[in-house]
């Protein structure tokens, strides 16, 4: 098997001024971080987490994705101690790593962002929310319906960066061809019910690009009360590709996806969008074309002058 198309999409939503979510969509590594802490702190926390997770995974942290999450925790906590302006900042982190044969998914998770698997028309939540309302539901003191509208539903009980040590949930599961794996921040899961998410995945023809846009649109249509971030990828039958030489800094994480060959035009305003592997900006090509046009214009101008 291999990781097929992969899409990452983040939107500020309709109520917030800033986007404090961050994501990683670098097949076979995927992650979501939803920052908190006011001012710029939440944004900093989620960005530090995403960067630390990418670095630790690329370096082949021997404790795998859980080690990457702990490394991210340490980095945010240290920054928090050294900079009073961002003291107390924190973030969620949900990390997914596909093994080199694309047979196993390993998850590491802290907070209330989520990982889901969509298989054969069924959407299954793979992670457990570390949130106040989820704990009240688990202990039978709140129903799912009450939790969905609870005023403190965004309060999380575990976060990265707020303590020197963090307890990380880990989970490994087998993948099958045709599986879709979805990571999202609560800006999606609090606004769009699971059955609606499943319906949109199905309706999109299981295309990660189309589906991620549909999910973000649905969250905004439902009120868009929070930043909404979606990372979505598919598993396909086929041979994994070998690592793409020196370009794949992560030698221990061979790039198995053809995803970086695919790009799609952004269709949503104010959206951070990275389809495929998130590399390969079109800017260098555009600048080259502009430079060539400028040279051509000069040549024509000179030839007219010299006549
Ligand atoms: Ca959030």
């Amino acid at each position: 098997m291999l990781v097929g198309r992969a899409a990452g999409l983040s939107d500020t939503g309709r109520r917030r001024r800033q986007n404090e979510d961050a994501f990683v969509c670098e097949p076979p590594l995927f992650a979501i971080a939803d920052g908190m802490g006011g001012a710029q702190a939440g944004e900093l926390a989620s960005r530090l987490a995403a960067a630390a997770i990418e670095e630790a995974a690329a370096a082949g942290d021997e404790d795998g994705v859980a080690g990457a999450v702990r490394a991210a925790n340490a980095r945010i906590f240290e920054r928090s101690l050294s900079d009073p302006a961002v003291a107390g900042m924190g973030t969620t982190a949900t990390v997914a790593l596909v093994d080199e044969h694309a047979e196993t998914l390993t998850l590491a998770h802290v907070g209330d962002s989520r990982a889901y698997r969509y298989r054969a028309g069924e959407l299954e939540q793979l992670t457990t929310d570390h949130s106040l309302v989820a704990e009240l539901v688990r202990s039978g003191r709140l129903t799912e319906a009450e939790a969905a509208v609870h005023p403190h539903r965004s309060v999380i009980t575990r976060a990265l960066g707020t303590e020197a040590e963090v307890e990380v949930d880990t989970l490994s599961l087998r993948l099958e061809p045709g599986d879709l794996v979805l990571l999202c921040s609560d800006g999606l899961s609090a606004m769009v019910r699971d059955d609606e998410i499943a319906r949109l995945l199905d309706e999109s023809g299981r295309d990660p690009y189309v589906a991620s846009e549909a999910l973000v649109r649905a969250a905004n249509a439902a009120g868009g009360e929070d930043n909404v971030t979606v990372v979505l990828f598919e598993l396909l039958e086929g041979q994994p590709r070998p690592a793409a030489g020196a370009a794949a800094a992560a030698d221990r994480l061979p790039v198995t996806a053809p995803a970086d060959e695919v790009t799609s035009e952004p269709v949503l305003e104010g959206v951070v969008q990275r389809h495929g592997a998130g590399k390969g900006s079109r800017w260098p090509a555009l600048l080259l074309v502009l430079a060539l046009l400028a040279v051509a214009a000069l040549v024509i101008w000179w030839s007219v002058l010299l006549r």
Side-chain angles (χ1 to χ4, degrees), residues 180 200-201 204 206-216 230 232:
L180 282 177
L200 290 168
L201 292 176
S204 65
R206 314 165 58 79
D207 179 325
Y209 313 139
V210 176
S212 57
E213 282 164 3
L215 292 171
V216 168
V230 170
L232 191 57

Side-chain angles (χ1 to χ4, degrees), residues 42 44 271 280:
L44 178 64
V271 160

Side-chain angles (χ1 to χ4, degrees), residues 133-171:
V133 292
E135 286 182 10
L136 291 173
V137 169
R138 282 196 286 279
S139 65
R141 283 185 284 170
L142 214 59
T143 65
E144 292 276 0
E146 286 165 344
V149 294
H150 197 280
H152 301 306
R153 62 186 178 275
S154 62
V155 173
I156 58 175
T157 50
R158 247 197 256 177
L160 285 200
T162 54
E163 315 258 352
E165 300 287 332
V166 67
E167 188 188 347
V168 182
D169 285 3
T170 57
L171 177 72

Side-chain angles (χ1 to χ4, degrees), residues 16 21 34-35 112 185-187 226-227:
R16 303 286 174 93
D21 288 356
D34 175 353
D112 68 349
S185 60
D186 67 333
D226 198 357
N227 308 141

Side-chain angles (χ1 to χ4, degrees), residues 29 49 52-54 56-57 61 63-73 95 160:
L29 178 71
I53 287 162
E54 270 193 81
D61 190 301
D63 292 328
V65 281
V69 170
R70 280 191 287 267
N73 181 68
V95 185
L160 285 200

